[in-house]
Amino acid sequence: MDLAALKTQLKNFVQSMFEEGVLDNQFSQIQALQDSTNPNFVEEVITLFCNDAERIINEINRNLGYQNVDFSNLDSYVHQLKGSSSSIGANRLKLACANLRQASDERNKEG
Amino acid sequence: MAPTLPSGDQASDQDNWDNGRLAHKRQLLTEIVLRNRLTALVVDGDTTCRVLEQLLLRSYGVQTQGVDNGRDAVALIASGVKFNLIIIDMILPVLNGLEATRQIRDMGVHCKMLGVTACSGESERQAFLAAGVDVFIEKPLDPEHLVPILRELDGQ
């Protein structure tokens, strides 16, 4: 596939993420920050976010695996993920964090 | 100067017009800020958030420094470094944002402090304001909240 076609495919993919609510306006702000002085900024910050998020999600899964879940420990991880996902425009992930916090508040492991 | 789109694609006329206006606005604001050489300290334990906030500020010409915990923030201010603006998160490693804010204010530092946090509750808002931040902003920090503050600082 040639470069132009790949670029179009990427653009369409990102557009569909906006339409599905996976990404929100905050991501557009970040795209707007990329310029000739920061040519790979979007890619770099996404990589940064994904590495951090992977680590946090692993911790969340580990915490949820225990018989007696330490909800306050879990909460601090979810809070951190909520902060970074909202900063990068990962809308659905941010909402999922909010839901998880609420379920965790209710001490509802099933939720 | 023709505006450049991040993806480098062929832009529609509307895209060019919108991006041109946006670039022009940013240019004006950057000139104002550079004339006054505003400086800001960003205190956030999360790398993604700190990097994004610093870059957002830099895009408006603000010179920034970043630290990832409350203790280093307090130490930096205590060493005599002056900032026009401090962006500080509530939950921080080593020393939390509330306590760090109090200590900074106790030093007699009166610069604008923005509490930028993922916490969204009213009690958190009240606590952060009581600790000494001037404005409480729920993450993400965006131009809509930041630009009026930069204009205000520029006017001083």
Side-chain angles (χ1 to χ4, degrees), chain B residues 21-40:
Chain B
R21 259 187 337 184
L22 194 65
H24 181 63
K25 259 176 154 173
R26 173 159 292 155
Q27 178 104 3
L28 275 179
L29 190 57
T30 308
E31 279 167 13
I32 291 169
V33 170
L34 283 174
R35 189 174 59 221
N36 288 281
R37 279 184 282 156
L38 292 179
T39 58

Side-chain angles (χ1 to χ4, degrees), chain A residues 11 31 41 79 82 84 86-87, chain B residues 6 9 46 49 52 118-119 140:
Chain A
K11 193 175 170 188
Q31 287 177 308
F41 175 64
H79 176 89
K82 185 186 169 204
S84 53
S86 70
S87 297
Chain B
D9 280 352
D46 184 82
C49 295
L52 284 173
C119 296

